[in-house]
Amino acid sequence: MATLPIESRLDELRGAMSRHTRALLVAAPGAGKTTRVPLVLLDEAWCREGRLLLLEPRRVAARLAAGYMAESLGERVGQTVGYRMRGESRVGPDTRLEVVTQGVLTRMLQEDPLLDGVAGIVFDEFHERSLEADLGLALTLDVQSVRDDLRLLVMSATLDVEALLGVLGSGTPLIESHGRSFPAATRYRALSSSHSSRDETARQQATAVLDALGQADGDALVFLPGVAEILRLARELTNRQPALAVRELHGRLPLEVQRNALRPEADGSRRVVLATAIAESSVTVDGVRIVVDAGQERVPVFQPRSGLTRLETRRVNRASADQRRGRAGRQGPGLCLRLWAEEQPLVPHGEPEILQADLAPLAFELARWGIVEPDALAWVTPPPAGALAAGRGLLQRLGVLDEVYLLTEMGRACVRWPTHPRLAVMLERAGELAARPLACTLVALLEGRELDAEQDLERVLRVCLADPASHRQWQREAQRLARLAGVRLDVGSLAPLGELLALAYPERIAQRLEPGRFRLASGGLATLPETHPLAHAELLVAAELDGQARGAKIYRGAAISRERLEALFAEAREWRASLEWSEEQGRLVGDQVRGVGAVVLERKVMQSLPPEAVREALLEALRRRGELPFDENAVQLRGRVELLSQTFGDAWPDWSMPALLDTLETWLGPHLDGIRGLDAVARLPLGRLLLDCLEWPLRTRLEDLAPERLEVPSGSRLRVDYAPCLEGRPPVLAVKLQEVFGWQSSPRIADGRVGILLHLLSPARRPLQVTGDLASFWANGYPEVRREIRGRYPKHPWPEDPLAAEATARTKRRS
């Protein structure tokens, strides 16, 4: 067997792990870190009396890694090496190395916070920065505070070392292995942008793939953003080259199909593997010498204000592109063909999932851990306050969290269900409807891979129930949930389907406005094709939406009757004041209504307007507008504070527009007494209200760090424009050129950390030059400006040496 590159660093790693409880390992793809390092650590003294956990980001990677390591020991999986993931495990009494998926670690920690019997944890491929990996690391670090013998190793092909050392400690040893790679030629081939159809894109991709096969030896691995793109390209390649072995590799496929895609063809024929990002790391696709990268990735992005998640197709980041290219040089010289222009800029790294995900599951796990303030844990990237608040708000709406964000009785009951808290509530409350077997089948379907886009939920359920043998993955998960529930998987009627969905998705209850157009309980709008069976339903519950809050597309759902909705939700039976701002009428309009959120089952005229309801209606109207009526002084104040927030960190508040809209109740709400219209809100001194919210120590430093005016060499005190700081740009000082004679360099503020952008003006106050480097302008730009402009303004000074000249706001003195 060839020596792996990681072998040369193993002694250093052993020493680091024996002397320290934490270490970082950065090893290039193909170095052997995943399968070699854990086996070596098993023989260390600190590990001999306990188990070692190896965390993998994906199920297929966990199974393959466990299988490879067991085979290298001459054993079966489940002996020394085993694996554990949701719904499946192969471990035995002699298992010392468990390969687990990241969510399993969180569950193990929650069930046994001291991890009794575990000697160490290895985080593999941490650069992917999944939400579960970030949470698992934060909880593990918390455990280490009471278990000083627990070892922790974080490893990956690429790591943000500085950020990790920030939470692990600056003294954490760092071991690097450059890995083994063969030269891989990188070529670029931008697809034509004149054709926008998806089929035409697939045709261009197919041409590129076939050309690449003609330019290099070996099999080809093609990276595409999603399953739809894989199916289109597979169809195109098969039509053109029927003899070519085209294999798919993505998470929806059964395990055996995934394994087959990773192995070369038995007859030695060439193959093309069409893969999502699942093939980017962790697994090796044998025989690949050609990589064709479409340059895109599909990521779910959660929108806290709408509560919806939207799948976005983005340009791949540079780190991922380099990782993909590395696949071409793993087993020999290769070729990487990138389907974009070489000059196309790429962002350096992808965003951690914690910054763009639904944080309701994180909020649930924090509550289980007994954490109210997330700052109590050490995070590589802290959870965003807005998304965490949205997640906690959902869990409170579901009855899972109380007012201080700890678990309620319902929340503690939901702990037993290994699923999203929404679905855990459905499973727990299904007993009230005598529908727990149906709930088990429904959850397995919603979390599984049986559903394709825009399929009818009830129809798919009937198909699965009629032929469970053809849907084994769904059947296994449904049976597992049924065992947890202590019921037989004996589904009778599908009638409670809408009620079950309403328990999990109360804000997605929708009322028909016209055929195919619905208003959600959350206030947004959603649509269905008019030909869809549910398009004419009076009420339905959407199980999945595409994330566009002002016109979300419903992918699947179920109808629910008015009577069943009223039986499920007490608020649907109680009258409440409902006020909203009418843009058409320019005033508040109100009724008494009963219903669920914005879904109104009945309304009647309101005789008077309650002050609290007026306040809430005005605040909601401002949120819907998406902006606030700030005058110029308020804009400048916000810009100053935004600059200091970006420069000095969390000590200064976030006064961006989204943050202020999210906190209207706190800073604006108390000042709305007696106000009945948005025009009156615009007359409020909003800048002063914000300034009053600024803590006194910060308020006293505001003028020193971000002064409203700066004195220039002429003696004038000119106003600094901080509005650009709201868009991430530097502050601006517009000043006549003659007034800065003698200024050696550009002025700086915020304790010298921020430079001001000078807009140098002519005597007529017209722009001459924009510069952030005044010294460079004097040396290089001024002579040309002087030559071109002095003839137009002969009464103003234009000295050859501006640094020695006297600054002035006036014309030359008369002789």
Side-chain angles (χ1 to χ4, degrees):
M1 180 182 297
T3 301
L4 294 168
I6 196 67
E7 299 286 346
S8 64
R9 316 302 293 174
L10 291 178
D11 287 343
E12 182 182 357
L13 179 61
R14 287 191 189 98
M17 293 294 289
S18 65
R19 294 187 301 271
H20 303 268
T21 57
R22 302 172 183 174
L24 296 180
L25 172 61
V26 180
K33 62 184 183 301
T34 300
T35 54
R36 190 74 184 97
V37 168
L39 292 177
V40 168
L41 296 182
L42 281 183
D43 294 330
E44 294 299 289
W46 55 265
C47 193
R48 286 175 189 154
E49 299 302 320
R51 291 173 294 147
L52 188 66
L53 303 182
L54 171 64
L55 268 72
E56 290 295 332
R58 297 181 178 89
R59 297 165 69 95
V60 62
R63 292 189 188 100
L64 291 170
Y68 185 89
M69 288 186 285
E71 184 179 350
S72 70
L73 297 175
E75 298 178 352
R76 297 188 308 276
V77 174
Q79 294 180 285
T80 302
V81 182
Y83 65 76
R84 191 190 302 267
M85 58 195 68
R86 193 178 79 172
E88 183 181 355
S89 66
R90 291 187 63 182
V91 297
D94 299 324
T95 301
R96 296 188 55 229
L97 171 57
E98 289 189 23
V99 187
V100 302
T101 48
Q102 293 164 343
V104 168
L105 173 65
T106 302
R107 197 158 188 87
M108 293 173 72
L109 284 162
Q110 296 283 18
E111 293 172 355
D112 178 13
L114 293 181
L115 287 180
D116 186 41
V118 174
I121 303 175
V122 180
F123 285 77
D124 193 19
E125 305 294 356
F126 191 78
H127 73 279
E128 294 195 10
R129 297 299 307 279
S130 72
L131 176 60
E132 290 176 330
D134 274 22
L135 174 62
L137 181 61
L139 297 182
T140 300
L141 293 174
D142 200 37
V143 172
Q144 277 193 319
S145 66
V146 293
R147 264 203 63 187
D148 57 9
D149 63 324
L150 181 65
R151 291 324 199 258
L152 169 63
L153 174 63
V154 180
M155 60 185 195
S156 176
T158 57
L159 281 177
D160 186 344
V161 172
E162 185 177 345
L164 276 164
L165 290 178
V167 295
L168 299 180
S170 57
T172 302
L174 169 64
I175 299 96
E176 294 187 78
S177 172
H178 297 295
R180 176 183 62 213
S181 62
F182 296 89
T186 304
R187 297 174 189 165
Y188 293 84
R189 179 173 176 161
L191 301 186
S192 171
S193 58
S194 60
H195 302 282
S196 57
S197 78
R198 295 171 179 174
D199 288 339
E200 175 59 28
T201 298
R203 284 191 284 271
Q204 293 186 56
Q205 290 171 341
T207 299
V209 170
L210 295 174
D211 287 351
L213 288 172
Q215 296 171 22
D217 297 329
D219 295 334
L221 173 62
V222 184
F223 284 99
L224 296 162
V227 175
E229 290 81 1
I230 286 176
L231 294 176
R232 279 194 291 271
L233 182 52
R235 184 167 56 246
E236 185 68 27
L237 286 171
T238 302
N239 288 341
R240 291 202 201 179
Q241 297 275 354
L244 185 64
V246 179
R247 302 288 177 254
E248 299 174 22
L249 181 59
H250 52 79
R252 290 190 186 179
L253 297 170
L255 173 61
E256 193 53 39
V257 177
Q258 291 178 346
R259 284 176 173 163
N260 288 338
L262 298 174
R263 294 191 287 258
E265 295 299 302
D267 61 2
S269 59
R270 299 183 79 181
R271 80 194 199 282
V272 176
V273 180
L274 309 180
T276 59
I278 192 174
E280 196 172 295
S281 58
S282 302
V283 300
T284 296
V285 187
D286 283 333
V288 165
R289 303 276 285 277
I290 301 168
V291 165
V292 179
D293 187 357
Q296 295 178 315
E297 60 182 352
R298 190 157 292 146
V299 293
V301 178
F302 180 69
Q303 301 166 303
R305 289 187 65 193
S306 68
L308 304 178
T309 296
R310 182 179 71 250
L311 279 176
E312 286 189 357
T313 302
R314 296 178 172 177
R315 177 71 62 185
V316 73
N317 62 78
R318 188 183 308 128
S320 291
D322 290 344
Q323 189 92 341
R324 294 175 178 188
R325 180 181 58 191
R327 294 285 161 183
R330 272 209 172 184
Q331 298 176 329
L335 166 67
C336 175
L337 179 61
R338 290 173 164 174
L339 302 184
W340 65 87
E342 186 171 3
E343 61 271 17
Q344 170 71 49
L346 301 178
V347 297
H349 298 280
E351 278 193 332
E353 188 182 3
I354 200 170
L355 295 180
Q356 52 195 14
D358 170 12
L359 295 191
L362 177 70
F364 182 66
E365 297 298 343
L366 291 180
R368 288 186 66 187
W369 199 251
I371 292 291
V372 173
E373 295 298 332
D375 291 347
L377 297 177
W379 301 92
V380 180
T381 301
L388 182 60
R392 284 173 159 175
L394 170 65
L395 296 186
Q396 288 176 322
R397 175 77 177 81
L398 293 172
V400 171
L401 295 187
D402 61 21
E403 65 278 359
V404 294
Y405 309 131
L406 294 177
L407 293 180
T408 61
E409 183 179 352
M410 170 60 68
R412 289 188 291 273
C414 287
V415 163
R416 66 170 169 153
W417 303 106
T419 187
H420 191 288
R422 286 183 184 274
L423 302 180
V425 169
M426 179 202 294
L427 288 162
E428 192 61 32
R429 293 193 61 188
E432 303 169 18
L433 306 174
R436 196 158 275 160
L438 176 59
C440 292
T441 63
L442 179 57
V443 169
L445 197 61
L446 292 173
E447 290 215 317
R449 304 292 183 182
E450 305 290 341
L451 283 173
D452 291 326
E454 300 185 65
Q455 284 190 330
D456 179 72
L457 189 58
E458 183 173 338
R459 186 186 69 80
V460 177
L461 264 176
R462 292 189 186 280
V463 169
C464 290
L465 290 168
D467 186 14
S470 298
H471 303 85
R472 293 182 180 177
Q473 186 177 347
W474 162 80
Q475 185 186 37
R476 281 196 300 269
E477 181 62 13
Q479 291 284 7
R480 187 173 74 93
L481 292 171
R483 287 193 296 272
L484 284 174
V487 299
R488 293 179 56 197
L489 200 61
D490 185 11
V491 178
S493 170
L494 298 184
L497 185 58
E499 294 166 77
L500 290 173
L501 290 177
L503 293 174
Y505 305 99
E507 80 286 8
R508 298 185 192 173
I509 297 168
Q511 184 174 34
R512 188 188 72 233
L513 301 176
E514 58 187 55
R517 189 165 175 266
F518 295 82
R519 181 176 299 283
L520 299 166
S522 62
L525 297 176
T527 61
L528 275 173
E530 287 191 36
T531 56
H532 194 282
L534 293 175
H536 294 268
E538 179 190 357
L539 296 165
L540 61 80
V541 188
E544 187 175 333
L545 298 162
D546 74 349
Q548 300 294 333
R550 295 186 178 180
K553 185 177 180 181
I554 299 172
Y555 280 102
R556 49 191 67 96
I560 186 171
S561 69
R562 177 187 294 249
E563 294 73 24
R564 297 311 303 160
L565 193 62
E566 291 175 349
L568 275 183
F569 296 98
E571 64 185 284
R573 305 188 296 272
E574 299 170 354
W575 291 97
R576 70 180 190 278
S578 173
L579 287 174
E580 64 179 24
W581 180 261
S582 170
E583 295 288 353
E584 294 81 6
Q585 301 179 47
R587 65 182 181 87
L588 287 170
V589 294
D591 295 302
Q592 281 190 303
V593 301
R594 61 181 187 87
V596 180
V599 170
V600 176
L601 302 178
E602 190 175 359
R603 68 172 67 239
K604 59 185 180 182
V605 176
M606 186 186 303
Q607 301 304 318
S608 62
L609 303 183
E612 185 60 34
V614 170
R615 183 182 299 112
E616 290 179 4
L618 288 173
L619 295 179
E620 180 57 31
L622 289 170
R623 285 199 180 95
R624 281 204 307 271
R625 287 190 170 186
E627 58 183 9
L628 295 166
F630 289 120
D631 61 18
E632 180 60 23
N633 288 334
V635 169
Q636 292 299 322
L637 174 64
R638 289 178 54 227
R640 296 164 72 193
V641 172
E642 178 65 21
L643 171 70
L644 298 179
S645 174
Q646 293 298 321
T647 305
F648 295 102
D650 293 341
W652 292 86
D654 179 2
W655 281 358
S656 64
M657 191 66 74
L660 291 176
L661 289 171
D662 283 340
T663 56
L664 285 175
E665 287 84 358
T666 303
W667 68 272
L668 181 59
H671 304 282
L672 295 182
D673 290 344
I675 289 180
R676 292 290 184 270
L678 294 182
D679 54 345
V681 175
R683 291 194 292 271
L684 289 173
L686 299 182
R688 182 177 62 75
L689 299 184
L690 281 177
L691 192 60
D692 289 344
C693 296
L694 198 61
E695 296 178 5
W696 184 251
L698 298 181
R699 192 167 174 175
T700 58
R701 298 199 67 202
L702 180 60
E703 183 61 24
D704 291 335
L705 295 173
E708 282 190 89
R709 294 179 178 271
L710 277 183
E711 183 173 338
V712 297
S714 67
S716 300
R717 289 184 56 78
L718 303 179
R719 187 166 188 171
V720 180
D721 182 7
Y722 289 94
C725 300
L726 295 170
E727 299 176 357
R729 295 183 282 119
V732 169
L733 180 67
V735 56
K736 289 182 182 179
L737 179 59
Q738 282 75 16
E739 295 200 60
V740 295
F741 288 160
W743 230 353
Q744 301 283 336
S745 58
S746 299
R748 302 187 70 81
I749 57 174
D751 284 344
R753 300 188 187 189
V754 177
I756 289 183
L757 189 67
L758 295 177
H759 285 201
L760 301 176
L761 308 177
S762 73
R765 302 199 64 82
R766 291 174 180 166
L768 291 176
Q769 187 82 15
V770 174
T771 180
D773 186 348
L774 189 58
S776 176
F777 168 73
W778 290 138
N780 304 302
Y782 175 73
E784 184 177 347
V785 170
R786 177 177 179 268
R787 186 167 52 252
E788 292 182 2
I789 301 298
R790 65 177 176 169
R792 296 189 207 170
Y793 304 99
K795 295 183 180 181
H796 292 77
W798 297 96
E800 291 187 13
D801 184 0
L803 293 176
E806 180 183 357
T808 179
R810 303 178 182 274
T811 60
K812 297 176 184 177
R813 294 180 181 177
R814 293 182 180 176
S815 357

